[in-house]
Amino acid sequence: MDQNLKKMDWNVTTNGKSFILYFNFLVAHYEELPFVLRMRYVFRLIQYIYYPVLAVVGFAVNILTIVILPRGKCGLSRCVTRYLVAMAATDLLVIILDLILRHIPILYQKEFHFVYSFRVCNIHAVLLHAATDCSVWFTVSFTFDRFVAICCQKLKTKYCTERTAAVVLGTVTLLSGLKNIFWYFMLTSFYNLSNMPWFCYTTIDVLNSPVWTAITFLHYILTPCVPFALILLLNAVTARHIILASRARRQLRGASSGECPSDPEMDSRRNSIILLFVISGNFILLWAVFMVHSIWIQMYYLGYDSVYIPFYLMDIGFMLQLLSCCTNMAIYAVTQTKFRQQLKNVGKYPFTLILKLIKR
């Protein structure tokens, strides 16, 4: 790949252009642009519409999830409920700190030009990455909790409790905050409204420092590479245990009754594991592109640039990663009948309230 093309690909920015100007530019120069740059401009246009819509939807669905789950009417244990509410809360924070306060101002620079006057970018970076880490590691914590509940019956009564869930979530939050303090010292307080891996200005010393690059590389190894490996391992072991246990239970019940009647215990376990696998699978699928590009960009900074990955993959990675913060409510609605009913009740509530006021 030509070095000039790499540089052009890296520096594609909105430059304060409106959607119409950006669209006209792409149409006028579409045939002249190399495929890599063409794709990056196309994805940038998509983001003009995608990000505002995602912000509204993501904010609404996570608020609804936080309102519905703690009411305890969804047929989930209080331990599981704590994990799911915590995941929704951190997803909401990511929507606010990453999507609304980072990506949207990058696209709509004219409307958000005042951001330049705020000198809190490094603090913003600490909070954003801490919230992202919490979102990821809460998913790992939930996966481990379900692994214990299904595969470790002796440990289940002690570990799978509401108190343990609170301790685990609090510990993960504290460690995530401490882990990401380095962003405060690595980045400056000035915002850099360009679609780069870092959205704050950095000093030349930091950009050229192999130490800071190594620290950043370790950051992306811990989130999300390690969670990927843990979730895949835990789910593989859990699935194997369920298959073996289900087979043995069917054989035992079939031998004792001469038939295979419905098994409420296995039905309950099946519903629980469907929820776990769908949440875990959703996380892995939507974070995969972001993980690959994040690791590659750190390798690039370390001097390993023999394999070139187009930078439009960074746009795809950001778009899918942010989408992962908006999908859990849909997963609960599809997999949990009682959650779906509660969601309908919440949707009907404003109309019910209006009818009551009219009748008065």
Side-chain angles (χ1 to χ4, degrees):
M1 175 66 68
D2 183 77
Q3 291 297 323
N4 290 330
L5 181 56
K6 286 186 181 182
K7 187 175 181 181
M8 291 170 64
D9 187 17
W10 176 274
N11 290 316
V12 171
T13 62
T14 58
N15 293 322
K17 296 177 183 176
S18 67
F19 175 84
I20 299 300
L21 289 175
Y22 210 74
F23 178 79
N24 290 338
F25 172 82
L26 180 60
V27 170
H29 301 279
Y30 188 80
E31 295 299 333
E32 304 170 16
L33 293 171
F35 176 78
V36 170
L37 295 182
R38 191 185 303 167
M39 291 300 296
R40 198 155 188 216
Y41 277 105
V42 168
F43 279 110
R44 193 58 50 82
L45 275 175
I46 293 172
Q47 289 171 350
Y48 269 104
I49 300 172
Y50 176 79
Y51 280 155
V53 172
L54 191 66
V56 173
V57 173
F59 191 89
V61 298
N62 284 298
I63 289 292
L64 282 173
T65 302
I66 293 170
V67 169
I68 292 173
L69 287 176
R71 299 171 70 184
K73 298 180 180 181
C74 298
L76 301 170
S77 69
R78 299 182 69 177
C79 172
V80 169
T81 299
R82 282 217 170 185
Y83 283 111
L84 299 185
V85 170
M87 289 160 62
T90 52
D91 284 346
L92 179 62
L93 284 176
V94 173
I95 290 293
I96 294 171
L97 293 170
D98 201 357
L99 180 54
I100 297 175
L101 298 181
R102 174 188 177 185
H103 287 285
I104 290 179
I106 288 172
L107 286 175
Y108 297 90
Q109 292 186 28
K110 288 185 177 179
E111 292 79 2
F112 289 88
H113 189 75
F114 62 89
V115 170
Y116 284 115
S117 62
F118 292 99
R119 300 184 179 182
V120 293
C121 191
N122 49 358
I123 298 175
H124 182 181
V126 172
L127 296 176
L128 185 157
H129 288 291
T132 303
D133 280 8
C134 284
S135 178
V136 172
W137 283 97
F138 285 174
T139 304
V140 177
S141 301
F142 173 65
T143 304
F144 182 76
D145 177 87
R146 294 299 85 197
F147 163 76
V148 172
I150 294 170
C151 302
C152 309
Q153 293 299 312
K154 292 183 179 179
L155 184 59
K156 176 181 176 180
T157 54
K158 293 182 179 180
Y159 184 84
C160 300
T161 64
E162 190 176 6
R163 181 176 179 179
T164 301
V167 171
V168 169
L169 294 171
T171 302
V172 170
T173 302
L174 177 61
L175 293 178
S176 296
L178 293 175
K179 168 184 171 290
N180 288 286
I181 288 178
F182 79 92
W183 293 105
Y184 180 86
F185 303 100
M186 179 178 173
L187 305 175
T188 69
S189 60
F190 294 94
Y191 282 92
N192 175 19
L193 294 183
S194 60
N195 198 29
M196 310 281 276
W198 300 334
F199 61 102
C200 306
Y201 280 106
T202 56
T203 63
I204 297 298
D205 292 340
V206 167
L207 288 175
N208 295 331
S209 170
V211 174
W212 285 113
T213 302
I215 291 174
T216 309
F217 184 81
L218 180 61
H219 165 78
Y220 287 111
I221 290 294
L222 292 175
T223 306
C225 292
V226 173
F228 261 57
L230 289 175
I231 287 174
L232 288 172
L233 176 63
L234 290 171
N235 281 348
V237 176
T238 302
R240 181 178 181 274
H241 179 87
I242 289 174
I243 292 171
L244 295 176
S246 299
R247 187 181 302 162
R249 192 175 177 89
R250 281 197 303 268
Q251 290 175 352
L252 180 61
R253 290 174 64 86
S256 61
S257 62
E259 55 183 7
C260 294
S262 81
D263 188 344
E265 172 66 23
M266 291 308 301
D267 290 341
S268 175
R269 185 175 295 185
R270 187 181 302 110
N271 291 334
S272 177
I273 205 62
I274 287 174
L275 176 62
L276 169 64
F277 283 1
V278 174
I279 289 176
S280 301
N282 173 73
F283 166 74
I284 290 172
L285 288 174
L286 296 181
W287 273 79
V289 177
F290 178 83
M291 181 189 73
V292 170
H293 190 274
S294 297
I295 295 301
W296 174 81
I297 199 65
Q298 300 310 315
M299 298 293 289
Y300 181 86
Y301 278 125
L302 289 171
Y304 299 97
D305 59 349
S306 56
V307 178
Y308 176 70
I309 297 181
F311 276 91
Y312 67 79
L313 287 181
M314 179 177 66
D315 297 309
I316 298 174
F318 281 139
M319 292 166 70
L320 293 177
Q321 179 223 341
L322 291 168
L323 178 62
S324 71
C325 297
C326 310
T327 54
N328 280 349
M329 191 185 81
I331 292 172
Y332 306 151
V334 170
T335 61
Q336 305 294 311
T337 304
K338 292 183 179 180
F339 181 89
R340 189 161 56 247
Q341 184 58 49
Q342 290 300 310
L343 187 60
K344 290 179 182 178
N345 293 340
V346 171
K348 293 177 182 176
Y349 180 76
F351 301 101
T352 305
L353 186 61
I354 291 172
L355 288 175
K356 287 181 179 180
L357 293 175
I358 293 173
K359 289 181 179 179
R360 288 183 181 179

